[in-house]
Amino acid sequence: MKSELVSKVLVLDNSPAHAATIKGFCDDNHLVGLKVGKERLMTVLRSNIDLGAILYSDNYGDTPAETTEIARRIRSIRPELPIMLRRDSLQGDCADSDELRRLCCISYTTDDLAGLSRAIDEFIFSLVYPNALVRGISELTLNSLGTQFSYLAASVATPYVVRDRVIFGEVFSLIPIEGSWCRGYMTLQTEEQPILDILDAHQPRHGGADFRTANSLLGEMTNLIWGAFKNRFLVDEERSRSPIQVPLIVNHRHRFISFGTENPQLCFLYTLTDSATGRSFKLYQRFVFNLSWSPEQFREITHDPGELIDSGELEMF
Amino acid sequence: MAKILIVDDSSTVRDEVADFLKGNGLEVATAVDGKDGLAKLKADPGIRLILSDVNMPNMDGLTMVEKIRGELLNTAVNVIMLTTESSPNMKERGKAAGIKGWIVKPFKGSAVLETLKKLAA
């Protein structure tokens, strides 16, 4: 199973002369570049596309003033996203350049991409996520989903990291992850109606499934994955006893959640499909290690094969 | 008829397990947490087996078992934990409290049905 992380970046750069260089840079740096026209930009920023950064250019607007105004609006809507500014020349100047530079975390030219590369590492890939962890999360989640939905085919997209804080979907679960090498949260996010449609088709109950059914199901999926994560990655004796907590902020109006840290979040997107009807639903899974993160202490728990009891089997005492 | 009490805060699990057991001819009662489980057990002497989650609000499953043995002085009812937990410490605590067995979720009914029937008899 592929575990190399990627991140999506919005490429707001209309220069054909630099398009190939930027595309090559994205390919070399595990970035998935998404191009958006000016007329759709604000809609996209308010939508469910999860992003790591914005690759901007100093001539994206028709005028320098418009370029600065667009950057200002990006910052206002998605302040957590770093804006990386391509300029034709770092020596050049324009009326709005001071403010534009302040809105951006870095300026670069395509002649020298080393600074951009460092910024990508600093702002997007700043946390090391061990391959065994990333791969293991996908495996244990697919396994849990497979047992909960034996009649659906489950698949996972390439894992990715994001900096945005947008809440997706309509139903959202949150559970603490506490260990000696990590402290944070796992979230699952999905939409309600596709789940209800699938439940009604496969597990019809009198009166039909309602939002409480979807809530409970998401809770149980969360519980199964959380349990499997603990059993695979967190040694019982080593679980954290730290009392440190920080407030979580949920802004309903802007569908925004903050865990009190700027750290990039580890994300997985699963799709569960009913092959008979083609109906499917998506499940977004995020890990936010906001309270403690020491990947150098990460290790997978290995069991003596003789001690193992398969899930679902009864171990008698 | 002997009855099985399912104690789980998740209605998804309660429904799934109850449907399976009822479909196999067993009588079932349900409780939403350890506190509710204690109350249901006190009120119904027909309960012979409890299938309980560990992590629940208000009262967790292991505390419920300790109270069944220590406060209700009920040593007759069999208890099996059905949980995502698999830590040796928790299992030891369960053993000390007198549970009969441990199932790591997800519940695979056909793998355990015969044993559950015996324990509920």
Side-chain angles (χ1 to χ4, degrees):
Chain A
M1 191 176 292
K2 194 176 174 185
S3 64
E4 198 162 79
L5 292 172
V6 299
S7 185
K8 286 182 220 160
V9 295
L10 217 49
V11 180
L12 307 181
D13 194 323
N14 298 321
S15 167
H18 299 287
T21 307
I22 290 171
K23 165 102 177 47
F25 178 85
C26 288
D27 291 345
D28 292 344
N29 288 274
H30 309 295
L31 301 176
V32 178
L34 306 171
K35 289 209 78 166
V36 180
K38 253 191 304 187
E39 69 288 353
R40 288 192 59 239
L41 174 58
M42 294 304 147
T43 307
V44 167
L45 286 174
R46 289 191 176 98
S47 72
N48 290 350
I49 294 179
D50 37 3
L51 297 166
I54 289 175
L55 299 187
Y56 199 46
S57 73
D58 65 358
N59 53 12
Y60 185 68
D62 292 336
T63 64
E66 188 191 21
T67 299
T68 302
E69 175 56 24
I70 292 170
R72 203 181 290 132
R73 289 167 64 195
I74 293 170
R75 173 53 60 87
S76 165
I77 293 173
R78 301 289 284 272
E80 71 277 16
L81 292 177
I83 304 172
M84 301 172 182
L85 179 68
R86 183 188 63 75
R87 305 185 71 194
D88 283 333
S89 163
L90 294 181
Q91 309 305 319
D93 207 359
C94 65
D96 294 280
S97 63
D98 280 349
E99 183 182 1
L100 185 57
R101 271 197 293 265
R102 277 198 300 275
L103 291 166
C104 301
C105 67
I106 179 186
S107 295
Y108 71 97
T109 67
T110 48
D111 294 334
D112 180 7
L113 294 171
L116 179 61
S117 186
R118 280 195 299 275
I120 295 294
D121 286 344
E122 178 185 348
F123 287 97
I124 300 181
F125 298 114
S126 58
L127 295 188
V128 173
Y129 291 109
N131 278 345
L133 173 68
V134 176
R135 193 174 56 251
I137 289 171
S138 296
E139 286 172 359
L140 66 86
T141 303
L142 285 172
N143 189 41
S144 298
L145 295 175
T147 57
Q148 189 68 48
F149 299 100
S150 56
Y151 44 86
L152 300 179
S155 63
V156 59
T158 303
Y160 55 101
V161 291
V162 301
R163 286 184 61 87
D164 65 27
R165 305 287 180 261
V166 176
I167 298 173
F168 295 164
E170 298 159 344
V171 201
F172 175 92
S173 74
L174 183 67
I175 193 164
I177 300 271
E178 300 268 332
S180 62
W181 57 272
C182 68
R183 291 189 70 216
Y185 294 87
M186 180 184 82
T187 74
L188 291 183
Q189 304 177 61
T190 190
E191 289 177 334
E192 186 179 291
Q193 196 56 48
I195 289 188
L196 297 182
D197 290 343
I198 282 174
L199 286 180
D200 280 339
H202 288 274
Q203 301 178 357
R205 304 186 78 84
H206 53 272
D210 65 13
F211 77 91
R212 292 173 192 84
T213 318
N215 291 353
S216 175
L217 189 59
L218 189 69
E220 188 51 25
M221 282 190 271
T222 307
N223 188 38
L224 281 175
I225 296 165
W226 175 72
F229 184 97
K230 287 198 304 178
N231 295 335
R232 184 157 172 170
F233 297 124
L234 303 179
V235 179
D236 188 48
E237 289 72 18
E238 289 182 350
R239 284 186 190 148
S240 168
R241 300 285 182 269
S242 170
I244 303 300
Q245 286 293 346
V246 297
L248 309 184
I249 310 297
V250 177
N251 184 315
H252 296 279
R253 185 173 175 198
H254 293 283
R255 301 173 64 80
F256 172 96
I257 183 165
S258 165
F259 295 85
T261 172
E262 294 292 304
N263 287 347
Q265 303 169 358
L266 177 60
C267 301
F268 300 82
L269 171 59
Y270 304 90
T271 305
L272 289 107
T273 307
D274 181 347
S275 56
T277 64
R279 282 182 172 153
S280 67
F281 72 88
K282 293 189 185 305
L283 194 66
Y284 291 89
Q285 179 187 45
R286 286 192 184 204
F287 289 84
V288 189
F289 298 108
N290 60 328
L291 297 170
S292 168
W293 181 243
S294 305
E296 68 282 1
Q297 291 172 27
F298 164 82
R299 65 192 166 96
E300 229 173 318
I301 298 169
T302 51
H303 296 276
D304 178 343
E307 293 174 355
L308 285 178
I309 299 286
D310 280 347
S311 63
E313 289 186 7
L314 176 58
E315 180 182 6
M316 293 295 288
F317 297 145
Chain B
M1 183 195 271
K3 197 180 284 180
I4 298 178
L5 175 64
I6 302 160
V7 187
D8 202 306
D9 56 321
S10 162
S11 61
T12 301
V13 173
R14 288 197 307 273
D15 291 346
E16 274 178 14
V17 177
D19 285 353
F20 174 80
L21 295 177
K22 283 181 196 165
N24 283 280
L26 292 159
E27 200 176 336
V28 169
T30 58
V32 298
D33 58 34
K35 225 173 195 176
D36 190 28
L38 275 182
K40 296 270 168 65
L41 179 63
K42 268 195 230 176
D44 189 343
I47 293 169
R48 293 281 185 274
L49 171 65
I50 297 175
L51 264 179
S52 176
D53 192 9
V54 170
N55 295 307
M56 294 182 286
N58 299 317
M59 185 188 294
D60 67 83
L62 291 174
T63 302
M64 178 190 73
V65 181
E66 287 162 355
K67 285 184 181 293
I68 289 170
R69 305 301 191 214
E71 292 181 12
L72 302 188
L73 302 177
N74 183 338
T75 54
V77 69
N78 290 313
V79 183
I80 287 175
M81 308 313 292
L82 173 61
T83 173
T84 58
E85 298 285 352
S86 69
S87 85
N89 284 354
M90 285 209 181
K91 288 182 183 174
E92 281 306 316
R93 189 177 154 203
K95 272 189 211 175
I99 66 169
K100 280 281 184 188
W102 196 281
I103 302 172
V104 176
K105 284 180 182 175
F107 180 70
K108 295 174 187 164
S110 52
V112 295
L113 179 62
E114 289 311 312
T115 312
L116 297 186
K117 279 182 174 174
K118 279 181 202 159
L119 290 172

